[in-house]
Amino acid sequence: MNEVKSAGGYRWLIVFSVFAVCFSGSFSQFVLSVYGPQIMEKYNLNISQFGFVMMGAMLTGVFFSIAAGVAGDKAGVHKVVAIAGVISCLGCVLRYMGNSYTALLIGMIMLGFFPVFMASNALKLFAAWFPPQQLGLCMGIFMAAGACGTSVASMVAASFGSLERAMLFCVFFVLAITIVWMLLVRNQPKGATPLPPVPVVQNLGKMFKLKNVWIIGIFLVAFMACNMSVASYFATALQSSEFGGMAQATSGVVVSLWTFGVLAGNIVGPILFAKIGRNKPGGVIFTVAGGILLYVAWAMRADATICAVLLFLAGFCIGTVIPVIMAYPALLPEVGPQYAGAAGGLYTTVQMLGASFIPSYVFAAVSGTDYSQLFLMAAVAGALIGVIAMALPEMGSKAGKTERGA
């Protein structure tokens, strides 16, 4: 704890660096979404191929998150994320210089290395710099980075004037963040005792046997099923003539309130739960309320203002508990900072699988064009987030040793 206290203000530079890495990855991925028609024309793609390209970075998360976390535990976060940054830079170059669907797809997959390796190891890095009671706030800021990158990309993409200029900007942007990472970030404060490297086989064997890490993964699957269903389908549903035919611009603004609500919850939630000193009772209350508000927002879709306000409140309620639980691996006695990289990699993999498959291949497949049924399932998933978290030990500051599982 003394080593952590000695970190001073430099620790917030670490948080900024983590935020910048994830922001740059998200920005560079979604800045292309505005240029969808040009990309499909230039590379002769159909809509399915374009969608697969946009999922390229997510595929990186599915296949490389565990390896990223294990590498961070063995070689140190600074080194493995720096290498991932170089790979992402090369991916941006390949996107810019390539003239084929294959080059574009490979470039997007390579781009995903920087944010994916950072996501798997963010908690491990924060745990070396911050006391336990601040890890939730750090994870909240980290989670906000991706959504901020996506939002900014959508706002400024058209200002580049062409697809090629947008791609070229991303080359230099990711390169600059990689250099900043290499020069400024350290694995731990000066004078702190480095964590010993963890053998790969030992690390993997330990992680796959830990019940609580799997519970966190399932917890994140429920969140992503809810979050991606709203992000992917709510605006389209609002525009449907069967459900009122809201204008495209209006529907986009309404759904953006969900994202801003989640972001606000990510920041406020850890502060609130730290003051309460307990996580689980409040987590259930907030997420059940969030699920109810989400479905009520859909029911009130005829009034865009009311719908938007309810979506913000729903996103806020659900967003409060996510970073708190994501910080758990570093607090759990059986994991701790030493194994936090592998734990982060495991739950990130499960999270990405949930984001990739449940909204599209479960919810949408079951509901078809019945959006009311789809958003009911999304609302239930949102409400279940806190219920799933009840299976975890209580890690709030007021919890006793028995509650913590120590």
Side-chain angles (χ1 to χ4, degrees):
M1 181 64 69
N2 290 335
E3 292 171 345
V4 171
K5 286 182 178 179
S6 69
Y10 200 88
R11 68 179 67 174
W12 295 107
L13 181 60
I14 300 298
V15 176
F16 168 78
S17 299
V18 171
F19 182 95
V21 169
C22 296
F23 180 95
S24 69
S26 180
F27 178 95
S28 299
Q29 177 185 357
F30 288 102
V31 75
L32 299 193
S33 63
V34 174
Y35 293 97
Q38 294 93 314
I39 291 173
M40 287 188 282
E41 181 180 354
K42 178 179 179 179
Y43 298 99
N44 193 28
L45 308 182
N46 58 40
I47 188 65
S48 297
Q49 288 174 313
F50 175 70
F52 197 59
V53 165
M54 293 305 297
M55 283 184 60
M58 193 172 290
L59 293 175
T60 311
V62 171
F63 292 109
F64 291 99
S65 290
I66 293 177
V70 171
D73 287 339
K74 183 171 179 61
V77 178
H78 177 265
K79 181 185 295 184
V80 299
V81 174
I83 294 171
V86 173
I87 295 172
S88 289
C89 287
L90 294 175
C92 289
V93 172
L94 180 60
R95 286 196 320 181
Y96 176 67
M97 299 185 66
N99 288 303
S100 68
Y101 169 63
T102 302
L104 181 62
L105 178 59
I106 294 174
M108 290 292 281
I109 292 173
M110 292 173 67
L111 168 64
F113 272 74
F114 207 12
V116 164
F117 273 61
M118 188 70 267
S120 294
N121 289 286
L123 178 58
K124 183 180 183 71
L125 187 63
F126 291 147
W129 285 89
F130 287 85
Q133 62 269 25
Q134 290 186 313
L135 291 180
L137 176 60
C138 293
M139 292 304 290
I141 296 171
F142 152 73
M143 288 190 65
C148 288
T150 302
S151 300
V152 173
S154 300
M155 289 189 289
V156 306
S159 64
F160 289 110
S162 72
L163 171 65
E164 290 72 22
R165 287 177 185 170
M167 286 182 167
L168 183 60
F169 174 84
C170 292
V171 172
F172 291 104
F173 185 30
V174 174
L175 176 61
I177 300 302
T178 301
I179 293 172
V180 168
W181 176 270
M182 291 178 174
L183 294 178
L184 298 182
V185 174
R186 302 193 299 265
N187 286 329
Q188 65 274 320
K190 289 181 178 179
T193 304
L195 292 171
V198 182
V200 173
V201 176
Q202 174 187 333
N203 203 351
L204 285 174
K206 182 179 178 69
M207 281 307 103
F208 283 116
K209 294 177 183 177
L210 293 179
K211 178 188 72 173
N212 287 329
V213 176
W214 284 105
I215 292 173
I216 294 171
I218 296 170
F219 164 92
L220 289 171
V221 166
F223 167 65
M224 293 304 291
C226 175
N227 185 48
M228 294 303 294
S229 295
V230 176
S232 301
Y233 298 110
F234 210 96
T236 301
L238 291 175
Q239 294 171 41
S240 172
S241 58
E242 183 181 353
F243 295 103
M246 189 179 291
Q248 183 180 32
T250 304
S251 68
V253 172
V254 169
V255 176
S256 71
L257 267 293
W258 163 267
T259 302
F260 288 123
V262 173
L263 288 176
N266 288 166
I267 302 301
V268 175
I271 299 172
L272 178 63
F273 285 117
K275 289 187 176 181
I276 296 173
R278 291 186 174 275
N279 302 326
K280 292 199 291 184
V284 173
I285 294 169
F286 273 107
T287 59
V288 170
I292 294 171
L293 286 167
L294 171 57
Y295 194 73
V296 174
W298 169 248
M300 299 295 292
R301 59 189 176 274
D303 189 315
T305 302
I306 294 176
C307 182
V309 171
L310 290 171
L311 271 183
F312 177 86
L313 293 174
F316 177 85
C317 288
I318 288 174
T320 55
V321 72
I322 307 303
V324 175
I325 302 301
M326 287 185 72
Y328 263 44
L331 306 175
L332 293 169
E334 66 270 30
V335 182
Q338 185 172 7
Y339 295 95
L346 179 58
Y347 70 56
T348 300
T349 300
V350 177
Q351 175 185 6
M352 291 295 180
L353 285 170
S356 302
F357 294 105
I358 291 182
S360 299
Y361 297 103
V362 179
F363 289 178
V366 171
S367 63
T369 57
D370 186 350
Y371 286 115
S372 294
Q373 185 179 9
L374 189 152
F375 295 125
L376 176 60
M377 289 187 285
V380 170
L384 285 175
I385 293 170
V387 177
I388 295 168
M390 288 294 290
L392 293 166
E394 174 60 73
M395 302 303 294
S397 60
K398 294 182 180 178
K401 288 185 177 181
T402 303
E403 294 176 288
R404 292 173 179 268

